[in-house]
Amino acid sequence: MSKRKNKNNFIPLTFDGIFKALFRHKRYLIDFLKDVLKYDIVDLEYLDSYLEKANISTKESFLDVLVKFNDGTHAIIEMQNQDRGSMVTRIFYYLGKLATKSLKTGEDYKLIKKYIGICVLDYNDSRFTNLHNVCKLYNVDTKEILTDELEIHIINLQSKIMNDKLKWLEVFKEEDDWDMGKYTDEELKAAVNELKRLSGDVEVMAAYDKEMEEKLDRILIRQAGMEEATSQAALNFYKNGVNKDIICKSLNITLEELNKILKKNDV
């Protein structure tokens, strides 16, 4: 198991495992949802986060957190710390699956309740430039909202445009330690105390260390692939008579690095 640099075994809320563990506590999830959605939530019920397959050929879906409010609204809450390229499409798919399960044969479509997707991103997605991005279905010509039954909220933690005063932002963006002196809100204080406890949990720590090791492996593999691609491009340029200075400038490498590539390949 890898050793962490801080003495308190700090694990950030952006880690998927601790995110799920904290928000299994109703009080913290309700407080977070009120912060994002800006309306009162009296109570909620946790639902099975596994969305059943309609048939053997249908894709399986496992959600981070799935709940139903006391007014019948359903909400999916997801944490994403790496760009997989299809986050919005997946949230839309999840919400669609929930909606199709909500009506029985013969029931009126007016009975469909509201479905909300909330996704917290710990990477910069250029499509969502604000901290808090709200997505709805609307008429592109009139800008009129077509329905309130579907709503997606994207919280971009990497954004520099603070268009919303989310009190939970400071908890998500903590990078060093759970310093209790930073938090004045009583619910955040309680949540941070729970995060401190979870950070010391053996199973949570082991899962976090495993994820960090896998992340490092992915980075190393990606870097190796990039280095191989650079080497191959340099060789191709050189064999086709391109000047060394132009090769270095084009590939953003030094002359020393280029000469090492050429020597390694007996060129």
Side-chain angles (χ1 to χ4, degrees), residues 7-191:
K7 62 183 179 181
N8 293 318
N9 291 322
F10 169 80
I11 299 178
L13 182 53
T14 51
F15 166 55
D16 189 64
I18 209 167
F19 177 90
K20 292 177 183 176
L22 180 71
F23 287 133
R24 290 306 300 178
H25 292 273
K26 188 183 290 189
R27 66 178 290 193
Y28 307 133
L29 181 58
I30 287 178
D31 194 68
F32 170 68
L33 290 171
K34 286 181 179 179
D35 194 26
V36 173
L37 300 177
K38 311 303 182 191
Y39 63 78
D40 192 33
I41 300 166
V42 177
D43 197 9
L44 58 78
E45 171 190 357
Y46 287 93
L47 303 178
D48 189 346
S49 58
Y50 169 65
L51 295 184
E52 287 183 46
K53 298 170 65 169
N55 54 61
I56 195 168
S57 63
T58 306
K59 187 176 179 65
E60 285 186 309
S61 303
F62 295 90
L63 309 176
D64 285 348
V65 182
L66 172 61
V67 295
K68 182 172 71 172
F69 302 165
N70 56 293
D71 64 358
T73 297
H74 286 68
I76 294 168
I77 305 94
E78 293 277 304
M79 179 71 233
Q80 293 291 314
N81 50 37
Q82 59 178 306
D83 187 358
R84 296 175 181 172
S86 59
M87 181 273 303
V88 174
T89 305
R90 285 192 296 109
I91 291 291
F92 186 77
Y93 175 75
Y94 296 157
L95 295 174
K97 287 190 74 172
L98 285 174
T100 57
K101 292 171 58 178
S102 66
L103 289 183
K104 297 177 182 178
T105 302
E107 289 185 328
D108 195 299
Y109 289 110
K110 291 181 180 179
L111 295 176
I112 293 178
K113 299 295 184 179
K114 189 168 187 174
Y115 291 86
I116 300 174
I118 300 174
C119 194
V120 182
L121 306 184
D122 194 27
Y123 60 86
N124 198 19
D125 189 324
S126 60
R127 297 172 299 172
F128 305 105
T129 55
N130 293 329
L131 166 66
H132 187 181
N133 307 267
V134 183
C135 310
K136 296 184 178 183
L137 289 175
Y138 73 101
N139 184 313
V140 295
D141 293 321
T142 65
K143 309 304 180 187
E144 179 185 2
I145 301 297
L146 298 180
T147 177
D148 283 326
E149 276 72 44
L150 180 65
E151 191 172 289
I152 298 176
H153 294 254
I154 308 297
I155 308 300
N156 183 357
L157 298 178
Q158 303 300 321
S159 173
K160 292 180 170 47
I161 303 176
M162 300 291 107
N163 67 321
D164 193 354
K165 294 181 179 180
L166 295 176
K167 70 175 186 177
W168 275 82
L169 179 63
E170 58 183 324
V171 185
F172 275 101
K173 297 201 70 161
E174 184 62 85
E175 296 179 349
D176 300 314
D177 195 5
W178 295 119
D179 181 359
M180 294 301 297
K182 294 181 180 180
Y183 305 99
T184 56
D185 182 273
E186 291 303 317
E187 286 301 299
L188 289 190
K189 280 185 178 180

Side-chain angles (χ1 to χ4, degrees), residues 116 201 232:
I116 300 174
D201 183 273
Q232 191 58 53

Side-chain angles (χ1 to χ4, degrees), residues 225-240:
M226 292 173 64
E227 289 173 2
E228 178 61 28
T230 299
S231 296
Q232 191 58 53
L235 288 170
N236 291 340
F237 280 141
Y238 186 77
K239 290 177 179 178
N240 282 281

Side-chain angles (χ1 to χ4, degrees), residues 228 231-232 235 239 259-267:
E228 178 61 28
S231 296
Q232 191 58 53
L235 288 170
K239 290 177 179 178
N259 287 331
K260 285 182 179 179
I261 292 171
L262 298 177
K263 183 177 180 180
K264 181 179 179 181
N265 290 274
D266 298 322
V267 177

